[in-house]
Short mmCIF file of all heavy atoms in Angstrom, two decimals:
data_model
loop_
_atom_site.label_atom_id
_atom_site.label_comp_id
_atom_site.label_asym_id
_atom_site.label_seq_id
_atom_site.Cartn_x
_atom_site.Cartn_y
_atom_site.Cartn_z
N LEU W 5 0.80 -1.20 0.11
CA LEU W 5 -0.01 0.00 -0.01
C LEU W 5 0.84 1.26 -0.02
O LEU W 5 0.48 2.17 -0.76
CB LEU W 5 -0.97 0.05 1.18
CG LEU W 5 -2.10 -0.79 1.05
CD1 LEU W 5 -2.93 -0.95 2.38
CD2 LEU W 5 -3.05 -0.36 0.00
N ASP W 6 1.90 1.23 0.70
CA ASP W 6 2.80 2.49 0.88
C ASP W 6 3.24 2.91 -0.60
O ASP W 6 3.14 4.10 -0.84
CB ASP W 6 3.91 2.17 1.83
CG ASP W 6 3.61 2.19 3.17
OD1 ASP W 6 2.46 2.69 3.60
OD2 ASP W 6 4.35 1.75 4.14
N GLN W 7 3.63 1.99 -1.36
CA GLN W 7 4.15 2.33 -2.67
C GLN W 7 3.02 2.85 -3.56
O GLN W 7 3.25 3.84 -4.28
CB GLN W 7 4.79 1.09 -3.36
CG GLN W 7 5.55 1.40 -4.68
CD GLN W 7 6.65 2.37 -4.36
OE1 GLN W 7 7.36 2.36 -3.53
NE2 GLN W 7 6.82 3.24 -5.55
N VAL W 8 1.89 2.27 -3.46
CA VAL W 8 0.79 2.71 -4.32
C VAL W 8 0.34 4.18 -3.93
O VAL W 8 0.10 5.01 -4.64
CB VAL W 8 -0.44 1.76 -4.03
CG1 VAL W 8 -1.74 2.31 -4.72
CG2 VAL W 8 -0.17 0.47 -4.67
N ILE W 9 0.37 4.45 -2.64
CA ILE W 9 -0.01 5.74 -2.10
C ILE W 9 1.00 6.79 -2.45
O ILE W 9 0.55 8.01 -2.84
CB ILE W 9 -0.23 5.75 -0.57
CG1 ILE W 9 -1.48 4.90 -0.17
CG2 ILE W 9 -0.46 7.13 -0.04
CD1 ILE W 9 -1.57 4.34 1.10
N LYS W 10 2.31 6.50 -2.65
CA LYS W 10 3.33 7.40 -3.07
C LYS W 10 3.04 7.76 -4.59
O LYS W 10 3.45 8.96 -4.94
CB LYS W 10 4.59 6.69 -2.99
CG LYS W 10 5.11 6.63 -1.39
CD LYS W 10 6.45 5.96 -1.42
CE LYS W 10 6.88 5.94 0.09
NZ LYS W 10 8.28 5.16 0.24
N LEU W 11 2.46 6.90 -5.39
CA LEU W 11 2.23 7.20 -6.69
C LEU W 11 1.03 8.08 -6.93
O LEU W 11 0.81 8.59 -7.94
CB LEU W 11 2.07 5.80 -7.46
CG LEU W 11 3.24 4.91 -7.47
CD1 LEU W 11 2.89 3.57 -8.16
CD2 LEU W 11 4.37 5.65 -8.34
N HIS W 12 0.12 8.05 -5.87
CA HIS W 12 -1.07 8.90 -6.04
C HIS W 12 -1.22 9.77 -4.73
O HIS W 12 -2.15 9.53 -4.00
CB HIS W 12 -2.29 7.99 -6.19
CG HIS W 12 -2.22 7.15 -7.46
ND1 HIS W 12 -2.43 7.47 -8.68
CD2 HIS W 12 -1.75 5.75 -7.38
CE1 HIS W 12 -2.34 6.53 -9.51
NE2 HIS W 12 -1.90 5.42 -8.73
N PRO W 13 -0.35 10.70 -4.50
CA PRO W 13 -0.31 11.43 -3.20
C PRO W 13 -1.55 12.37 -2.91
O PRO W 13 -1.75 12.61 -1.81
CB PRO W 13 0.96 12.21 -3.41
CG PRO W 13 1.09 12.42 -4.83
CD PRO W 13 0.74 11.15 -5.33
N SER W 14 -2.25 12.64 -4.04
CA SER W 14 -3.48 13.49 -3.86
C SER W 14 -4.74 12.73 -3.74
O SER W 14 -5.78 13.43 -3.51
CB SER W 14 -3.53 14.57 -4.96
OG SER W 14 -3.71 13.79 -6.21
N ASN W 15 -4.71 11.51 -3.78
CA ASN W 15 -6.01 10.67 -3.72
C ASN W 15 -6.45 10.53 -2.25
O ASN W 15 -5.70 9.70 -1.52
CB ASN W 15 -5.77 9.27 -4.42
CG ASN W 15 -6.93 8.51 -4.60
OD1 ASN W 15 -7.78 8.28 -3.61
ND2 ASN W 15 -7.31 8.10 -5.74
N LYS W 16 -7.56 11.13 -1.90
CA LYS W 16 -7.98 11.01 -0.49
C LYS W 16 -8.37 9.69 -0.09
O LYS W 16 -8.27 9.29 1.13
CB LYS W 16 -9.13 11.96 -0.31
CG LYS W 16 -8.73 13.48 -0.48
CD LYS W 16 -9.92 14.40 -0.08
CE LYS W 16 -9.51 15.89 -0.18
NZ LYS W 16 -10.57 16.76 0.12
N GLN W 17 -8.99 8.84 -1.03
CA GLN W 17 -9.34 7.60 -0.61
C GLN W 17 -8.12 6.65 -0.30
O GLN W 17 -8.26 5.79 0.67
CB GLN W 17 -10.15 6.84 -1.81
CG GLN W 17 -11.42 7.65 -2.22
CD GLN W 17 -12.44 7.91 -1.06
OE1 GLN W 17 -12.50 7.10 -0.22
NE2 GLN W 17 -12.82 9.26 -1.00
N LEU W 18 -7.10 6.73 -1.10
CA LEU W 18 -5.85 6.12 -0.78
C LEU W 18 -5.28 6.59 0.54
O LEU W 18 -4.68 5.94 1.20
CB LEU W 18 -4.90 6.21 -1.90
CG LEU W 18 -5.31 5.47 -3.27
CD1 LEU W 18 -4.40 5.80 -4.30
CD2 LEU W 18 -5.57 4.01 -3.01
N LYS W 19 -5.38 7.91 0.78
CA LYS W 19 -4.86 8.40 2.08
C LYS W 19 -5.67 7.72 3.25
O LYS W 19 -4.99 7.49 4.36
CB LYS W 19 -5.04 9.92 2.09
CG LYS W 19 -4.00 10.66 1.25
CD LYS W 19 -4.14 12.18 1.29
CE LYS W 19 -3.24 12.92 0.53
NZ LYS W 19 -3.28 14.38 0.67
N LEU W 20 -6.99 7.61 3.09
CA LEU W 20 -7.70 6.85 4.21
C LEU W 20 -7.14 5.48 4.31
O LEU W 20 -7.02 5.04 5.62
CB LEU W 20 -9.20 6.91 3.80
CG LEU W 20 -9.95 8.23 3.96
CD1 LEU W 20 -11.33 7.98 3.45
CD2 LEU W 20 -10.00 8.69 5.36
N LEU W 21 -6.87 4.80 3.21
CA LEU W 21 -6.35 3.42 3.38
C LEU W 21 -5.04 3.44 4.06
O LEU W 21 -4.66 2.55 4.79
CB LEU W 21 -6.19 2.86 1.91
CG LEU W 21 -7.28 1.75 1.64
CD1 LEU W 21 -8.71 2.55 1.56
CD2 LEU W 21 -7.05 1.12 0.31
N ALA W 22 -4.14 4.56 3.78
CA ALA W 22 -2.88 4.62 4.51
C ALA W 22 -3.16 4.69 6.04
O ALA W 22 -2.31 4.07 6.78
CB ALA W 22 -2.13 5.85 3.79
N LEU W 23 -4.07 5.50 6.35
CA LEU W 23 -4.45 5.61 7.81
C LEU W 23 -4.83 4.30 8.36
O LEU W 23 -4.41 3.93 9.59
CB LEU W 23 -5.49 6.63 8.01
CG LEU W 23 -5.19 8.21 7.74
CD1 LEU W 23 -6.46 9.02 7.97
CD2 LEU W 23 -4.00 8.56 8.60
N ALA W 24 -5.71 3.59 7.78
CA ALA W 24 -6.29 2.42 8.09
C ALA W 24 -4.97 1.29 8.30
O ALA W 24 -4.90 0.43 9.22
CB ALA W 24 -7.23 1.81 7.11
N ASN W 25 -4.11 1.38 7.37
CA ASN W 25 -3.02 0.35 7.35
C ASN W 25 -1.97 0.77 8.41
O ASN W 25 -1.56 -0.08 9.22
CB ASN W 25 -2.24 0.44 5.99
CG ASN W 25 -1.06 -0.55 5.87
OD1 ASN W 25 -1.23 -1.61 6.29
ND2 ASN W 25 -0.03 -0.15 5.30
N ARG W 26 -1.75 2.05 8.68
CA ARG W 26 -0.90 2.43 9.65
C ARG W 26 -1.47 2.15 11.00
O ARG W 26 -0.78 1.76 11.96
CB ARG W 26 -0.71 4.04 9.70
CG ARG W 26 0.43 4.53 10.74
CD ARG W 26 0.32 6.10 10.79
NE ARG W 26 -0.88 6.38 11.46
CZ ARG W 26 -1.36 7.67 11.61
NH1 ARG W 26 -0.67 8.58 10.99
NH2 ARG W 26 -2.43 7.98 12.32
N ASP W 27 -2.88 2.28 11.25
CA ASP W 27 -3.56 1.86 12.42
C ASP W 27 -3.39 0.48 12.67
O ASP W 27 -2.98 0.03 13.84
CB ASP W 27 -5.04 2.21 12.24
CG ASP W 27 -5.91 1.64 13.39
OD1 ASP W 27 -5.93 2.22 14.48
OD2 ASP W 27 -6.59 0.64 13.13
N ALA W 28 -3.52 -0.47 11.79
CA ALA W 28 -3.23 -1.86 11.98
C ALA W 28 -1.81 -2.28 12.36
O ALA W 28 -1.57 -3.06 13.25
CB ALA W 28 -3.60 -2.66 10.63
N MET W 29 -0.86 -1.61 11.70
CA MET W 29 0.45 -1.82 12.00
C MET W 29 0.92 -1.31 13.38
O MET W 29 1.67 -2.00 14.10
CB MET W 29 1.46 -1.24 10.88
CG MET W 29 1.39 -1.85 9.58
SD MET W 29 2.71 -1.24 8.49
CE MET W 29 2.21 0.47 8.36
N ASP W 30 0.38 -0.17 13.80
CA ASP W 30 0.68 0.31 15.10
C ASP W 30 0.08 -0.48 16.18
O ASP W 30 0.64 -0.78 17.14
CB ASP W 30 0.05 1.80 15.28
CG ASP W 30 0.84 2.80 14.36
OD1 ASP W 30 1.90 2.45 13.99
OD2 ASP W 30 0.38 3.97 14.30
N ILE W 31 -1.08 -1.00 15.96
CA ILE W 31 -1.85 -1.88 17.00
C ILE W 31 -1.03 -3.18 17.06
O ILE W 31 -0.80 -3.69 18.13
CB ILE W 31 -3.29 -2.06 16.51
CG1 ILE W 31 -4.05 -0.90 16.83
CG2 ILE W 31 -3.88 -3.22 17.51
CD1 ILE W 31 -5.59 -0.97 16.57
N ASP W 32 -0.62 -3.75 15.90
CA ASP W 32 0.08 -5.02 15.94
C ASP W 32 1.44 -4.82 16.69
O ASP W 32 1.67 -5.60 17.63
CB ASP W 32 0.38 -5.39 14.53
CG ASP W 32 0.98 -6.85 14.45
OD1 ASP W 32 0.81 -7.67 15.54
OD2 ASP W 32 1.62 -7.22 13.46
N ALA W 33 2.06 -3.75 16.49
CA ALA W 33 3.36 -3.55 17.10
C ALA W 33 3.15 -3.27 18.66
O ALA W 33 3.89 -3.83 19.40
CB ALA W 33 4.21 -2.42 16.57
N ALA W 34 2.16 -2.45 18.82
CA ALA W 34 1.97 -2.18 20.43
C ALA W 34 1.58 -3.43 21.12
O ALA W 34 1.96 -3.62 22.31
CB ALA W 34 0.90 -1.12 20.43
N THR W 35 0.82 -4.25 20.41
CA THR W 35 0.24 -5.57 21.12
C THR W 35 1.50 -6.43 21.44
O THR W 35 1.56 -6.97 22.61
CB THR W 35 -0.80 -6.27 20.21
OG1 THR W 35 -1.93 -5.44 20.01
CG2 THR W 35 -1.22 -7.54 20.91
N ARG W 36 2.37 -6.65 20.46
CA ARG W 36 3.47 -7.46 20.67
C ARG W 36 4.39 -6.94 21.85
O ARG W 36 4.91 -7.63 22.55
CB ARG W 36 4.31 -7.59 19.28
CG ARG W 36 3.66 -8.29 18.19
CD ARG W 36 4.44 -8.33 16.99
NE ARG W 36 3.70 -8.91 15.79
CZ ARG W 36 3.56 -10.29 15.79
NH1 ARG W 36 4.14 -11.09 16.54
NH2 ARG W 36 2.84 -10.77 14.63
N LYS W 37 4.47 -5.58 21.91
CA LYS W 37 5.22 -4.92 22.90
C LYS W 37 4.63 -5.30 24.38
O LYS W 37 5.26 -5.72 25.30
CB LYS W 37 5.32 -3.48 22.76
CG LYS W 37 6.31 -2.78 23.74
CD LYS W 37 6.35 -1.34 23.46
CE LYS W 37 7.25 -0.59 24.43
NZ LYS W 37 6.78 -0.61 25.89
N LEU W 38 3.34 -5.14 24.39
CA LEU W 38 2.57 -5.40 25.62
C LEU W 38 2.61 -6.87 26.08
O LEU W 38 3.01 -7.16 27.15
CB LEU W 38 1.11 -5.07 25.54
CG LEU W 38 0.69 -3.64 25.51
CD1 LEU W 38 -0.71 -3.49 25.30
CD2 LEU W 38 1.17 -2.92 26.79
N LEU W 39 2.70 -7.78 25.08
CA LEU W 39 2.77 -9.16 25.31
C LEU W 39 4.16 -9.52 25.76
O LEU W 39 4.42 -10.41 26.76
CB LEU W 39 2.37 -9.96 24.08
CG LEU W 39 0.92 -10.04 23.62
CD1 LEU W 39 0.76 -10.76 22.33
CD2 LEU W 39 0.12 -10.68 24.81
N SER W 40 5.16 -8.77 25.23
CA SER W 40 6.54 -9.09 25.72
C SER W 40 6.85 -8.62 27.18
O SER W 40 7.70 -9.09 27.84
CB SER W 40 7.56 -8.32 24.74
OG SER W 40 7.47 -6.87 24.95
N GLU W 41 5.95 -7.76 27.62
CA GLU W 41 6.14 -7.25 28.95
C GLU W 41 5.32 -8.24 30.01
O GLU W 41 5.63 -7.98 31.30
CB GLU W 41 5.58 -5.85 29.07
CG GLU W 41 6.28 -4.82 28.31
CD GLU W 41 5.59 -3.49 28.30
OE1 GLU W 41 4.48 -3.39 28.99
OE2 GLU W 41 6.05 -2.62 27.73
N VAL W 42 4.71 -9.20 29.59
CA VAL W 42 4.06 -9.99 30.44
C VAL W 42 4.96 -10.88 31.23
O VAL W 42 4.82 -10.98 32.51
CB VAL W 42 3.07 -10.97 29.66
CG1 VAL W 42 2.44 -12.07 30.56
CG2 VAL W 42 1.85 -10.19 29.07
N GLU W 43 5.94 -11.44 30.67
CA GLU W 43 7.00 -12.20 31.37
C GLU W 43 7.96 -11.45 32.01
O GLU W 43 8.63 -10.57 31.38
CB GLU W 43 7.70 -13.17 30.45
CG GLU W 43 6.79 -14.34 29.86
CD GLU W 43 7.51 -15.22 28.91
OE1 GLU W 43 8.77 -15.21 28.88
OE2 GLU W 43 6.77 -16.01 28.21
N PRO W 44 8.09 -11.46 33.34
CA PRO W 44 9.12 -10.67 34.09
C PRO W 44 10.50 -10.99 33.67
O PRO W 44 11.44 -10.06 33.58
CB PRO W 44 8.93 -11.04 35.53
CG PRO W 44 8.34 -12.38 35.44
CD PRO W 44 7.47 -12.38 34.22
N LYS W 45 10.73 -12.17 33.13
CA LYS W 45 12.17 -12.59 32.57
C LYS W 45 11.95 -13.82 31.81
O LYS W 45 10.94 -14.50 31.88
CB LYS W 45 13.26 -12.67 33.77
CG LYS W 45 12.84 -13.70 34.69
CD LYS W 45 13.94 -13.83 35.74
CE LYS W 45 13.58 -14.89 36.79
NZ LYS W 45 14.59 -15.01 37.96
N PRO W 46 12.96 -14.09 30.87
CA PRO W 46 12.78 -15.31 30.09
C PRO W 46 12.60 -16.52 30.95
O PRO W 46 13.38 -16.79 31.95
CB PRO W 46 14.10 -15.32 29.33
CG PRO W 46 14.48 -13.86 29.17
CD PRO W 46 14.17 -13.36 30.52
N LEU W 47 11.77 -17.37 30.52
CA LEU W 47 11.38 -18.65 31.29
C LEU W 47 12.16 -19.74 30.73
O LEU W 47 12.27 -19.86 29.49
CB LEU W 47 9.90 -18.94 31.26
CG LEU W 47 9.04 -17.83 31.92
CD1 LEU W 47 7.60 -18.20 31.68
CD2 LEU W 47 9.40 -17.66 33.41
N PRO W 48 12.68 -20.68 31.51
CA PRO W 48 13.43 -21.91 31.02
C PRO W 48 12.41 -22.87 30.45
O PRO W 48 11.18 -22.81 30.69
CB PRO W 48 14.10 -22.46 32.19
CG PRO W 48 13.27 -21.98 33.29
CD PRO W 48 12.63 -20.64 33.01
N ASN W 49 12.84 -23.65 29.59
CA ASN W 49 12.08 -24.79 29.02
C ASN W 49 11.74 -25.79 30.15
O ASN W 49 12.66 -25.91 31.05
CB ASN W 49 12.63 -25.47 27.90
CG ASN W 49 12.75 -24.58 26.62
OD1 ASN W 49 11.88 -23.78 26.40
ND2 ASN W 49 13.93 -24.68 25.96
N LEU W 50 10.65 -26.52 30.06
CA LEU W 50 10.32 -27.41 31.01
C LEU W 50 11.31 -28.53 31.18
O LEU W 50 11.73 -28.94 32.34
CB LEU W 50 8.90 -28.00 30.84
CG LEU W 50 8.28 -28.95 31.86
CD1 LEU W 50 8.09 -28.19 33.20
CD2 LEU W 50 6.98 -29.45 31.33
#
C-alpha cells in the first residue's frame, strides 16, 4: 500500500487506506510490545 499511495499522493481515498494500514501496524506492534512485558524475565524450558 505504501508504494501505491506514493504514486497517487493527492488521492484522498488512498490516504484513508494509508491511515487504516498504519492503524493496523501500530496496533500489531503495540500488542506485541505489551505481550513481551507479560513475562518478568525469560522462562526456561520445562
Side-chain angles (χ1 to χ4, degrees):
L5 281 175
D6 286 343
Q7 187 59 38
V8 171
I9 292 164
K10 287 178 182 178
L11 296 175
H12 306 277
S14 62
N15 188 304
K16 292 183 179 181
Q17 303 306 319
L18 292 177
K19 287 182 177 180
L20 285 177
L21 259 64
L23 291 178
N25 188 40
R26 189 194 70 189
D27 171 75
M29 291 190 298
D30 287 349
I31 287 180
D32 187 24
T35 300
R36 293 179 185 276
K37 183 176 183 297
L38 286 177
L39 290 174
S40 69
E41 296 173 2
V42 169
E43 294 182 11
K45 60 183 180 181
L47 300 172
N49 294 322
L50 188 59

